[in-house]
Amino acid sequence: MSQTIKPFEIIIVDDGSKDVVDLHQILQSFNLSEIKLIEKHENTNAADSRNIGARNASGDVLCFLDADDYWYPQKLEKQLNALELSSIVSCRVRAVASDRVTALRVASEFDVTKTFCENLFGSLFHNLAFQTSTLMMRQEDFLRIGGFDSSLPRHQDYQFIINAEASGLKLRFVDDVLVDYVKSGKIAKIKHNWSLEKSLHFFDRYLLTENRKIRENFMIVQLLGPSIQAGVFSEWYKAACNRGLVSFSFLSKTLYYTVKRVIS
């Protein structure tokens, strides 16, 4: 509600949460007709919730805001000025700890000479150029793409961006920080439902045709740290072997990434 251009409507999709009574009380305090609440009585996932919200939207432009992230006041205004036909608009992100004071070292850049996938996984440093809370697009393009793949256990945001590019959407990048992406700390703890198999499901479905560099970087940047935290490093190594990634250069890259993460 602090946006310089007020949204036509705000759709809140409750994914079967346990504090929905508190949510009702908060929304009643606003007493605004443009706020719509859709309750799911069964918890599924964020992808399914986003799809439900998009299908129920009355406007022709969509934005997404995850429950723990923040928009800067000019977010909608600046992105609307950049929106074109068959485009998807993103922006820079400030990755912060949950106190919103401690800034975290995560990149948020876009290179127009590279593909969307190369921008995501082209380096050993995670790029937030397409963090879900940054995105703006037309509803018709969202529906044409097919939305987020709710059958994926994880990484539906990456899947969506890959499908967006395959569908011919062009990226427009606003070179301003307009979103705070909230992580739980400097090295975020893995989520309680994290598993290596869930991420490998995305890898095998969407990345097998990508070049070796992208596959290696995804395996290292996205899966190495959580696998170590979860105590399944041997399973991670076996998964890399089974996908033909293990080599001297791969192991050297893994060591380099690990040392850089410890130092930073």
Side-chain angles (χ1 to χ4, degrees):
M1 297 308 299
S2 66
Q3 291 296 300
T4 54
I5 292 182
K6 295 296 175 64
F8 174 72
E9 66 182 354
I10 300 171
I11 299 176
I12 299 174
V13 182
D14 179 81
D15 192 18
S17 69
K18 297 179 181 179
D19 56 356
V20 68
V21 174
D22 295 333
L23 177 59
H24 275 283
Q25 293 176 347
I26 292 171
L27 295 183
Q28 288 172 3
S29 70
F30 283 99
N31 192 29
L32 294 171
S33 60
E34 58 262 45
I35 298 180
K36 302 177 181 179
L37 173 63
I38 298 175
E39 290 186 57
K40 293 163 57 183
H41 300 292
E42 179 182 1
N43 176 264
T44 54
N45 56 40
D48 181 55
S49 299
R50 293 169 187 142
N51 290 341
I52 289 174
R55 288 197 300 267
N56 283 275
S58 301
D60 59 356
V61 176
L62 302 177
C63 290
F64 304 93
L65 179 59
D66 290 346
D68 54 350
D69 294 340
Y70 293 83
W71 284 353
Y72 287 38
Q74 289 186 302
K75 197 265 187 187
L76 293 183
E77 180 179 358
K78 289 190 174 182
Q79 288 195 314
L80 278 171
N81 289 334
L83 185 65
E84 297 178 347
L85 290 175
S86 299
S87 70
I88 184 167
V89 183
S90 187
C91 63
R92 288 192 181 277
V93 180
R94 185 179 72 132
V96 295
S98 54
D99 58 11
R100 290 196 71 204
V101 174
T102 307
L104 308 177
R105 297 178 62 184
V106 181
S108 178
E109 300 176 348
F110 183 77
D111 186 341
V112 295
T113 67
K114 298 179 179 179
T115 67
F116 288 16
C117 209
E118 287 172 335
N119 274 282
L120 283 170
F121 312 122
S123 78
L124 280 177
F125 300 96
H126 186 40
N127 192 347
L128 284 171
F130 303 105
Q131 201 275 330
T132 308
S133 294
T134 71
L135 301 181
M136 172 184 282
M137 63 190 308
R138 298 187 182 278
Q139 185 191 45
E140 61 184 278
D141 289 325
F142 179 90
L143 296 176
R144 178 169 58 84
I145 292 170
F148 294 88
D149 184 351
S150 58
S151 70
L152 281 177
R154 293 202 71 216
H155 307 302
Q156 305 99 332
D157 48 351
Y158 298 149
Q159 159 267 319
F160 179 76
I161 286 298
I162 291 172
N163 283 4
E165 184 171 40
S167 299
L169 293 191
K170 303 299 182 183
L171 184 88
R172 301 278 293 166
F173 192 75
V174 178
D175 197 17
D176 292 312
V177 175
L178 300 176
V179 174
D180 273 358
Y181 168 55
V182 178
K183 297 173 71 72
S184 60
K186 187 174 182 180
I187 300 179
K189 294 181 179 180
I190 61 173
K191 296 182 178 180
H192 69 280
N193 62 344
W194 185 89
S195 75
L196 180 62
E197 290 74 19
K198 290 179 179 180
S199 290
L200 291 175
H201 183 69
F202 163 79
F203 182 98
D204 293 338
R205 188 167 177 179
Y206 287 97
L207 294 186
L208 285 183
T209 58
E210 297 293 336
N211 64 54
R212 182 183 180 92
K213 180 181 179 181
I214 285 176
R215 288 181 285 125
E216 286 184 350
N217 289 348
F218 180 86
M219 186 67 67
I220 295 170
V221 176
Q222 297 292 327
L223 306 187
L224 175 60
S227 295
I228 293 174
Q229 290 186 51
V232 294
F233 173 78
S234 60
E235 286 84 350
W236 173 87
Y237 183 78
K238 181 179 179 181
C241 288
N242 290 341
R243 287 155 182 81
L245 296 178
V246 175
S247 64
F248 178 77
S249 62
F250 176 78
L251 295 177
S252 298
K253 187 187 292 187
T254 301
L255 179 61
Y256 172 77
Y257 174 77
T258 304
V259 171
K260 290 288 288 185
R261 282 297 299 270
V262 171
I263 292 176
S264 61

